[in-house]
Amino acid sequence: MSLREQFAGWKPRLWAGWRPNGLGEQKPNHYRDIARVAWANRAHPAYAYQVLTKGACDGCSLGVAGLHDWTIDGVHLCTTRLDLLELNTADAIDPLVLSDLGPLRSRTGGQLRALGRLGHPMRRRRGEAGFRRVSWDEALSVLAAGLRATTPERAALYLTSRGITNETYYVAAKASRALGIANIDSAARVCHAPSTVGLRQTVGVAATTCSLQDVIEAPLVVLWGSNPANNQPVFMKYLYLARKRGCRVVVVNPFLEPGLARYWVPSNVESALFGTKMCDLHVPVRPGGDVALANAVLQRLIARAAVDRAFVDAHTEGFDEVVTALSGQDTDHLLGLAGVDRPTLESFVDELTRAGGAIHVWSMGITQHRGAADTVRGIVNLALAQAAVGRDGVGLMPIRGHSGVQGGAEMGAYATALPGGLPVDAEHAAALAARWGFPVPGRPGLTAPEMVDAAGRGELDVLWMSGGNFLDVLPDPRAVEAALGRVPLRVHQDVVVTRQMFVDGDDVVLLPVATRYEQEGGGTETTTERRIVFSPEIPRRVGEARSEWRLFADVASRVRPELRPAFSWPDNADLRREIAEVVPLYAGIETLADTGDAVQWGGRHLAVGGVFPTPSGRGRFSSLEPAEPQVPDGSFVLSTRRGKQFNSMVHHQVDPFTGAGRDAVFMDAADASALGVDRGARVRLRSETGSLDCTVTLAHLPARTLQVHWPEGNALIAGGPDRREPQSKVPDYNAVVTVERLDPEPD
Ligand code: SF4
């Protein structure tokens, strides 16, 4: 943005205050953070600079090529990217450090990452004190032998999303199927799997229907259970630009996150100086109350004749059934379930009616619940009712937190999808088998939580993981640890050391891999707006780390040498040509070769003209029955929240937005008073799964609801099949807890 543009059209009514850069306020200090990161990367400043100026960010899913994106002029950079930078410039660990795990077991994930990069293949047999360095040949022979010795049903692959490229996901998906293994899953399972289910069933496609440009052009943005200020920081710059054009913002969340109330956009003079009010209406829905809220909103849109009947009649189905179902639901009862009062409901409906449609953005606050797929359908209902798809400034946006989750599922590294996001069934498997030249399993495999279930039952012989950390990511870490310990062979390939590597097993192998920037031939990611973005190779050798797409191909060829030709790409440009053939959606990926090269599948909008990629060509309304909460007297509903972190990687012990430490429990003042505790008091939370000692932080929350940081809060969250969203299998990261005071009573 030019200086002239910077100073044009300042809007004092949007200013958060008069203190320059919010001096003295509880807020992130972006400029200090940049200085801190520069210091942390001082060992390889030139390489860090190249990553920032040439690479596609390995943080969240907004997508950027170097320092520029496809949405705004000016610099696109945030502290999340800077915090991740250190992983890309660290040097290899001395292998001897891992020879005795005793001193390492008590270290946090952050302390283990600070050791440096995993640089050499390592192996640890049961009874050994630690890992010993082995050759690549030995490491891969162990893995290949393990895969040959078992049946495909007793083997599983899991890939997490940070930094993993589409090329790696594709080769992993192909290798897995070549070995007959249907059990392949990725991190999308624990975040947006319910969005995939809910969107596919209603609008026919599991992706954002609009583009980030539409955020800037939107009349209204509704943020459902989403905190982009923390998780996709540059989104706040888009929102700032949108608000200067008159966009209004509604936040639907139990807690009005401070970064969504006011935000200081560091790269804009006006916002950096005075901050920007970001929220016009806060709807403090109770955890799990979103379906009831969406139903109540739709009732009121219908009652006010604010539904776009022409669109509904011409382009949707199921609306009359929804009207009938809603007529049997009492609005006051719905509001009771949602925890929202009537004036707030009417204000929300006012906003939607005035705008004539919105961009509905949602995230983990919606998806990590037992009823998540229904909630997604409830949000889709509102969008369909207002024709808020397929045109500028409106849309459905399940905003992704990781640069790899959209592509992971679309490349078929997913238990419930083949490449192209196609369903896993006999017909699609046969078509893929014809293309690939080997049989492809025609049934869905184990999802990530189901892999752990199977491990716990002793039904898994090989667990092969690229990145990921089930110990931190899945509920009930004690049960996860016990389950992992029962797998005879675990193989962890990663760029750093994680705690799950230390879980005892008969045989544990560590494989060092290259980052996306070091990957041979570069690679692509798919952003939240469906843009396939190229990140060039920025050469660097760290120990013996290898490119993962080569690694998956190598293992498949070792286990099934007769299939070697199917895994012998001379370079990954050739691999991208194959992806373009197998996944027609990704046509154009084969042309990408440099920083800034990108192609957006589907174009700016999906469902243009009301034509949906569903069997009937229509968008589908859903009749939804809200769940009745089951909270015994004296108990609280606990949800998990994020601080300054990226996925389970905690970057700061104190959240700069809230000032809360990692052990905080967020509690409303009225609940705290009823419990006889105050800010700073120590309390013990107990659930059926475990307990967690916390420090009380006062926050304005719905009555009898609490929040603790994730992944620490996993100790309170129950695992098990009945605690998952039934179709997508995402764990429900909420619990019913009691609170016990640990401090002596105040005088
Ligand atoms: S907002 Fe997301 S894509 Fe952009 S720099 Fe930050 S982490 Fe990277």
Side-chain angles (χ1 to χ4, degrees):
M1 187 181 288
S2 69
L3 270 183
R4 186 193 170 93
E5 286 170 319
Q6 287 266 13
F7 288 100
W10 282 23
K11 296 237 172 353
R13 69 179 170 76
L14 291 177
W15 292 356
W18 286 90
R19 293 189 200 177
N21 196 230
L23 203 66
E25 304 269 4
Q26 180 66 56
K27 63 180 269 300
N29 185 330
H30 296 104
Y31 309 111
R32 188 186 56 206
D33 287 345
I34 288 171
R36 180 181 49 73
V37 169
W39 179 250
N41 289 276
R42 64 193 177 281
H44 300 286
Y47 191 80
Y49 180 76
Q50 286 195 67
V51 167
L52 289 180
T53 54
K54 291 185 182 172
C57 174
D58 55 352
C60 86
S61 62
L62 293 191
V64 61
L67 294 170
H68 301 282
D69 65 17
W70 296 265
T71 306
I72 50 172
D73 297 330
V75 170
H76 174 136
L77 180 65
C78 80
T79 51
T80 301
R81 186 176 187 189
L82 293 172
D83 281 329
L84 291 169
L85 190 58
E86 215 176 327
L87 285 184
N88 296 306
T89 61
D91 291 313
I93 306 170
D94 178 348
L96 283 178
V97 170
L98 298 178
S99 61
D100 180 5
L101 298 186
L104 299 176
R105 286 189 187 279
S106 59
R107 296 207 185 179
T108 63
Q111 289 166 334
L112 292 176
R113 286 194 298 280
L115 292 173
R117 288 277 301 280
L118 189 59
H120 302 88
M122 314 276 290
R123 187 177 183 191
R124 177 175 178 243
R125 314 291 296 270
R126 192 176 290 282
E128 293 175 350
F131 289 93
R132 65 188 162 81
R133 185 174 168 181
V134 296
S135 66
W136 265 107
D137 189 52
E138 177 178 336
L140 295 186
S141 297
V142 170
L143 173 54
L147 290 168
R148 270 194 300 266
T150 189
T151 59
E153 294 72 29
R154 296 180 65 88
L157 266 81
Y158 177 79
L159 294 87
T160 192
S161 56
R162 194 200 75 83
I164 296 184
T165 58
N166 289 326
E167 289 77 356
T168 295
Y169 281 123
Y170 176 82
V171 180
K174 185 175 179 181
S176 165
R177 271 65 178 225
L179 305 179
I181 298 170
N183 308 324
I184 175 169
D185 215 18
S186 56
R189 182 65 54 196
V190 291
C191 57
H192 269 297
S195 305
T196 301
V197 168
L199 287 171
R200 200 172 284 290
Q201 291 170 347
T202 54
V203 298
V205 62
T208 292
T209 66
C210 56
S211 295
L212 293 166
Q213 178 64 34
D214 290 297
V215 174
I216 296 176
E217 297 179 17
L220 176 66
V221 173
V222 184
L223 298 167
W224 299 77
S226 182
N227 184 8
N230 209 27
N231 304 316
Q232 297 92 1
V234 174
F235 189 91
M236 300 309 288
K237 187 167 177 176
Y238 304 158
L239 217 47
Y240 163 75
L241 295 172
R243 286 179 71 65
K244 287 195 60 152
R245 297 171 63 123
C247 172
R248 294 183 58 87
V249 175
V250 174
V251 175
V252 182
N253 203 40
F255 179 48
L256 178 55
E257 296 288 347
L260 297 184
R262 311 174 304 165
Y263 195 84
W264 284 258
V265 179
S267 58
N268 179 275
V269 177
E270 180 190 18
S271 185
L273 270 179
F274 301 113
T276 307
K277 289 181 200 154
M278 288 293 184
C279 174
D280 297 297
L281 176 68
H282 174 219
V283 182
V285 66
R286 286 181 63 78
D290 304 87
V291 170
L293 175 66
N295 279 6
V297 171
L298 188 54
Q299 276 185 338
R300 297 301 299 143
L301 287 174
I302 294 168
R304 291 198 200 182
V307 170
D308 186 333
R309 280 307 308 221
F311 178 86
V312 167
D313 292 344
H315 299 295
T316 71
E317 57 195 10
F319 184 68
D320 291 343
E321 291 91 320
V322 169
V323 171
T324 305
L326 288 179
S327 66
Q329 295 179 13
D330 176 62
T331 308
D332 287 327
H333 182 62
L334 291 175
L335 289 176
L337 295 177
V340 172
D341 60 27
R342 179 74 77 151
T344 305
L345 171 69
E346 294 300 335
S347 299
F348 188 5
V349 178
D350 287 344
E351 295 285 356
L352 287 167
T353 307
R354 256 196 311 266
I359 294 193
H360 295 272
V361 179
W362 69 93
S363 194
M364 303 302 94
I366 293 298
T367 59
Q368 291 186 332
H369 287 266
R370 197 156 190 287
D374 270 355
T375 310
V376 172
R377 293 183 192 102
I379 295 170
V380 172
N381 279 348
L382 300 182
L384 292 179
Q386 294 199 292
V389 282
R391 58 187 173 94
D392 293 352
V394 296
L396 291 159
M397 183 178 286
I399 194 165
R400 313 276 176 163
H402 298 184
S403 61
V405 283
Q406 183 77 34
E410 288 170 355
M411 291 293 98
Y414 208 46
T416 47
L418 295 172
L422 299 173
V424 189
D425 55 28
E427 180 193 340
H428 290 98
L432 195 55
R435 172 63 188 80
W436 276 345
F438 50 77
V440 170
R443 55 177 170 73
L446 297 173
T447 61
E450 289 169 334
M451 290 176 189
V452 174
D453 295 346
R457 293 191 300 267
E459 294 174 3
L460 221 52
D461 292 328
V462 181
L463 178 58
W464 180 10
M465 296 182 71
S466 165
N469 186 355
F470 281 168
L471 266 190
D472 277 352
V473 168
L474 293 178
D476 195 356
R478 278 186 307 188
V480 173
E481 181 166 1
L484 291 182
R486 294 200 65 186
V487 182
L489 172 61
R490 292 199 329 272
V491 176
H492 299 287
Q493 61 191 52
D494 212 322
V495 296
V496 288
V497 175
T498 60
R499 290 193 308 122
Q500 67 174 359
M501 295 172 178
F502 301 165
V503 174
D504 296 337
D506 292 348
D507 209 345
V508 183
V509 174
L510 310 184
L511 304 178
V513 294
T515 66
R516 73 157 51 161
Y517 307 113
E518 298 155 7
Q519 176 173 289
E520 179 194 334
T524 59
E525 68 161 83
T526 307
T527 72
T528 218
E529 62 172 359
R530 299 169 274 106
R531 193 179 297 277
I532 304 159
V533 172
F534 188 76
S535 191
E537 179 180 355
I538 305 172
R540 179 170 184 251
R541 190 91 178 125
V542 177
E544 298 176 3
R546 281 193 183 178
S547 297
E548 287 188 90
W549 66 272
R550 286 275 190 215
L551 187 47
F552 281 111
D554 192 357
V555 175
S557 303
R558 281 175 184 249
V559 180
R560 295 197 60 187
E562 74 280 13
L563 295 183
R564 189 177 296 276
F567 290 93
S568 299
W569 301 278
D571 53 40
N572 75 358
D574 198 46
L575 171 56
R576 279 187 283 281
R577 278 190 282 278
E578 177 174 320
I579 294 173
E581 279 174 31
V582 174
V583 185
L585 215 52
Y586 273 53
I589 189 175
E590 75 283 7
T591 65
L592 311 182
D594 207 350
T595 301
D597 288 356
V599 53
Q600 185 180 30
W601 71 254
R604 175 169 170 176
H605 294 292
L606 302 180
V608 175
V611 179
F612 291 86
T614 54
S616 64
R618 289 170 172 257
R620 170 134 206 99
F621 278 93
S622 311
S623 301
L624 303 168
E625 198 64 46
E628 302 279 337
Q630 311 280 333
V631 190
D633 285 349
S635 298
F636 294 77
V637 176
L638 174 127
S639 304
T640 53
R641 59 175 290 107
R642 308 298 191 269
K644 188 61 185 162
Q645 62 193 89
F646 181 77
N647 189 22
S648 61
M649 295 162 53
V650 176
H651 285 131
H652 295 273
Q653 291 304 309
V654 173
D655 180 352
F657 282 109
T658 62
R662 296 297 303 181
D663 69 343
V665 54
F666 287 58
M667 184 183 290
D668 190 75
D671 284 332
S673 167
L675 287 165
V677 296
D678 205 345
R679 185 193 315 269
R682 295 288 294 164
V683 294
R684 178 163 297 157
L685 311 183
R686 284 187 197 280
S687 71
E688 60 179 320
T689 304
S691 67
L692 188 70
D693 291 355
C694 296
T695 301
V696 172
T697 290
L698 298 182
H700 198 50
L701 282 173
R704 293 177 61 205
T705 67
L706 306 171
Q707 295 189 358
V708 294
H709 284 119
W710 181 91
E712 292 86 340
N714 276 338
L716 297 164
I717 309 292
D722 58 338
R723 299 307 179 93
R724 295 171 195 150
E725 198 285 320
Q727 285 181 283
S728 65
K729 309 290 169 64
V730 73
D732 182 350
Y733 285 91
N734 301 275
V736 172
V737 300
T738 56
V739 182
E740 196 179 299
R741 198 170 51 203
L742 292 177
D743 282 346
E745 259 187 66
D747 290 339

